[in-house]
Structure formats: structure tokens, C-alpha cells
Amino acid sequence: MPLMTTKPMFDLAYDGGFGVGAFNVNNMEITQGIIEACAAEKSPCILQISKGARKYANMRYLKAIIDASVAQYPDLPIAIHLDHGDTVELVNQCIGDGFTSVMIDGSHHPYEENVKLTKQAVDTAHAAGVVVEAELGMLGGIEEDVVGMDAHEYEKNVQKFLTDPEQSRDFVKRTGIDSLAVAIGTSHGAYKFKHEAKLAFDRIEQIMKTCPGTALVMHGSSSVPQEFIDLVNQYGGKMPNARGVPEDQIHMAVSKYGVCKVNIDTDLRLAMTAKIREVFAKDPAEFDPRKYLGPARDAIIAMVRRKLHMLNSAGKTEKVIAHWKKLGSPLPKFYGK
Ligand code: G3H
Ligand code: 13P
Ligand code: ZN
């Protein structure tokens, strides 16, 4: 029953030349698509749930869907993670819901407040056997919205918003987090770069030096493949100038640097939307949801398989399970309660 925290995965990913994909789930088809892809590729995976997903789907339903996935693939290493949690109260709810990992995102607060909030979340989560991710620095996209900044202004001043290596050292030491989400030039959503699409590899290298052993996390890591944008636009959508992180740069971040977790949501939305638009455009009379949600689920499977190869995580399930067993098969206290 390898539902686990991310620790056994990150222990191996840290210097094993691979990264673990963290995919956002919002409904049954998305969850099935991700799990089918990971089972086919024998890859560990992190299913992550945002506050918005909890509200949209109702946690009871999401939990039942995820429990079904765990039961269907008992040999697949799966972690259930809260994406961008903003309060200790939400962290507590997720722990009670059986999550194995949580993110507390205080990156938009002044530094000392971020430390305080993160430390509270760590104390609460660790007491329950749940691991914690926190964030320093500021990404573009939804985060610039939080502080009311325009995308152009963000890109112009991006150096100022990247994670500070010395501050990271202090943050990791004072909070006791298990993984650190870093701002290294990525942003959320489908419009990541106006100019050159480039990650700040020098910054990752510096953070690895100031925080040795800490698993690094890349948010905003969809690649927004042009062929999917073309399909969306061809079949009536309107997404001009969408651009993501080049896949070779993500491959480099996980294979040559200590990036252990790579967050992907936008590419799943794109795959699903492109396929549904195509079905409707080709057959405007179609009204059976299975006839468009089924192909959309297949498109998610194909997209996730592509990602697992990019992350080098295909074929790693047995190693992760062996390591999890070596650690004593730990499970959070509240799982199944
Ligand atoms: O980083 C954000 C994820 O893409 C989740 O988005 O809050 O709309 O569910 P959401
Ligand atoms: P994308 O928008 O690039 O898919 O990023 C998702 C993410 O970071 C979720 O936390
Ligand atoms: Zn994110």
C-alpha cells in the first residue's frame, strides 16, 4: 500500500538524476489520467490538490477518487500533497484528510512572518508524520497578482524576485522544512515569458550550496507545448503568445541540479481543453460527456507520460518502494482515520 510522504521519493531524486512530477488534480478524469500514465511508466507521483480544487470538487469526492487509485495500483508510490496552502488551519484539515505532504506558502508575506507561519505549519505537520514544503521568493503569474503587480513589470525586475540563497539558508534552518520551493524564473499559467525563456541555473546552484540536502521544488513548470496551443487556437480558442518553460531546461534542472519536485498543472489543462475543443469542432452534435471526457483523459495520459520521460522518473517505482521499506514504511498518523 505505498501511499507515502515525499521523503522516500526525494531521498532518491536528490542525487539520482531524476525529478518527481507533481500534478494537480481537480476531478476523476484528471486523476485517472495521471495515475494511468504513472502506472504505465512505473513512475512515482505526487497528486497535488489546491485550495481551489478542494472547493471545486469537495474533498470527500477527491479523497474517494484518490483512495480508489491507491487501491487499484498498490505498487505505485503516491504522495498526496496540498498545493499552495495559506493557513495552518488548512494544513490541519489536510492532515486530517489523510494528505501525506503539505505546502505552506507564506512567500507573499514579509520574511519574518513567512518564517513564523512556516514554522507553525512544520510543528503541526511533523507531529502527524506529514512533510512540509514552503516557498521563498516570488514567481510570476498568480503570485504577482497577490501583490498586484503587472506581468511586464515582473519580468523587467525578475532578478529582484528570485530566491535569495543566504536567506534560504536561514529559512531552512529556522523552519525545519523538508523541501523548498524556489523562484528561479518560472511563473504560473500559460504566459510565462515575453522575452527569452530561461531558468536561472546559477541561482539554483547557489541555493544548493547554501541549503545542502534540501529538496528543491520548481513551481510553474509547464512547458505549454506549441502543438497544444495551436490545437486550442485552431478549434476556436484564443491563447495568443502562450509560452512555457522549455522541456530541455526542466530536464537539466532535475538531472544535473538538486530539483526534486516539478509542479505541472497548466499542461494538463491544455491537453484536456485542446482535445475537448477538437471533439466539439469535429462533431458539433456530440453531447455525451463520455465522448469528450474520455478522449480528454487519454490526452492527459499522453501528456503525463511525456513529462515522466522528461523528468527521468519512468522506471523508478521499485527503487522508491525499496527505500520506503528501508525507512520502515512510514505513513502519516491520520491516514485512513
Ligand atoms: O499553482 C497553482 C495551480 O495551478 C493550482 O491552480 O488554484 O486554480 O487550482 P488553482
Ligand atoms: P503551471 O501553471 O506551470 O502548470 O504550474 C503549476 C504549479 O506550480 C502548481 O503549484
Ligand atoms: Zn505553484
Side-chain angles (χ1 to χ4, degrees):
M1 213 275 298
L3 182 85
M4 58 182 69
T5 72
T6 50
K7 180 175 167 48
M9 303 178 185
F10 294 169
D11 278 358
L12 297 184
Y14 187 73
D15 46 16
F18 72 98
V20 185
F23 301 101
N24 286 75
V25 300
N26 288 283
N27 70 5
M28 183 185 77
E29 283 79 8
I30 296 173
T31 312
Q32 288 175 330
I34 298 163
I35 290 293
E36 291 295 325
C38 292
E41 297 292 349
K42 293 188 181 302
S43 169
C45 83
I46 300 167
L47 297 177
Q48 55 185 15
I49 298 166
S50 69
K51 193 172 163 183
R54 284 178 66 97
K55 194 165 163 214
Y56 169 76
N58 181 330
M59 201 47 224
R60 278 199 174 169
Y61 288 85
L62 277 185
K63 188 166 160 38
I65 292 165
I66 291 172
D67 284 348
S69 309
V70 173
Q72 191 178 358
Y73 292 108
D75 295 327
L76 198 60
I78 299 174
I80 307 177
H81 174 77
L82 166 66
D83 191 26
H84 293 284
D86 56 354
T87 61
V88 175
E89 190 191 4
L90 177 58
V91 162
N92 253 319
Q93 277 169 12
C94 290
I95 292 170
D97 287 336
F99 283 45
T100 64
S101 170
V102 289
M103 175 187 193
I104 182 79
D105 182 0
S107 60
H108 48 286
H109 292 307
Y111 180 64
E112 286 301 327
E113 268 179 52
N114 189 3
V115 171
K116 192 172 162 206
L117 176 69
T118 303
K119 178 80 174 78
Q120 282 172 350
V122 167
D123 290 345
T124 306
H126 282 184
V130 169
V131 293
V132 179
E133 171 188 326
E135 180 173 322
L136 258 193
M138 194 172 97
L139 275 76
I142 52 172
E143 292 180 17
E144 77 206 19
D145 287 347
V146 171
V147 292
M149 189 183 298
D150 143 77
H152 190 63
E153 199 189 327
Y154 178 84
E155 200 166 322
K156 227 171 54 192
N157 296 296
V158 69
Q159 285 297 325
K160 208 164 76 192
F161 303 121
L162 300 182
T163 305
D164 182 293
E166 279 307 324
Q167 199 174 54
S168 306
R169 186 205 303 271
D170 182 69
F171 189 70
V172 169
K173 198 166 146 217
R174 287 172 65 193
T175 58
I177 52 169
D178 303 277
S179 56
L180 177 68
V182 288
I184 47 157
T186 63
S187 56
H188 292 97
Y191 304 89
K192 299 188 191 299
F193 300 97
K194 281 202 174 61
H195 305 291
E196 197 187 0
K198 204 162 163 247
L199 297 183
F201 285 107
D202 53 339
R203 197 56 75 108
I204 309 180
E205 221 165 1
Q206 289 160 8
I207 299 167
M208 283 194 70
K209 283 196 186 126
T210 54
C211 306
T214 301
L216 301 185
V217 180
M218 270 171 64
H219 281 246
S221 296
S222 281
S223 299
V224 192
Q226 189 57 43
E227 61 268 35
F228 287 86
I229 293 298
D230 290 345
L231 279 175
V232 167
N233 291 336
Q234 177 186 345
Y235 292 117
K238 202 171 176 190
M239 298 187 71
N241 309 319
R243 251 173 106 194
V245 185
E247 289 182 334
D248 59 335
Q249 292 195 31
I250 296 176
H251 180 79
M252 177 113 130
V254 297
S255 57
K256 304 251 183 297
Y257 297 81
V259 172
C260 295
K261 174 171 177 273
V262 174
N263 284 16
I264 297 169
D265 185 7
T266 295
D267 282 350
L268 306 186
R269 297 179 182 195
L270 268 181
M272 208 169 189
T273 302
K275 185 48 79 178
I276 291 172
R277 282 193 177 281
E278 184 182 347
V279 172
F280 286 152
K282 289 184 172 163
D283 187 357
E286 185 55 70
F287 73 106
D288 179 347
R290 293 168 300 186
K291 297 283 169 43
Y292 52 87
L293 291 177
R297 181 174 53 197
D298 291 343
I300 299 253
I301 295 176
M303 178 63 87
V304 173
R305 290 184 81 159
R306 166 182 177 152
K307 299 290 168 191
L308 301 176
H309 286 280
M310 173 191 78
L311 296 170
N312 269 348
S313 70
K316 299 288 195 296
T317 49
E318 280 169 22
K319 276 191 182 157
V320 171
I321 289 170
H323 184 56
W324 173 67
K325 285 186 177 157
K326 211 167 112 194
L327 294 174
S329 310
L331 250 191
K333 275 187 203 153
F334 290 92
Y335 186 72
K337 298 271 156 52

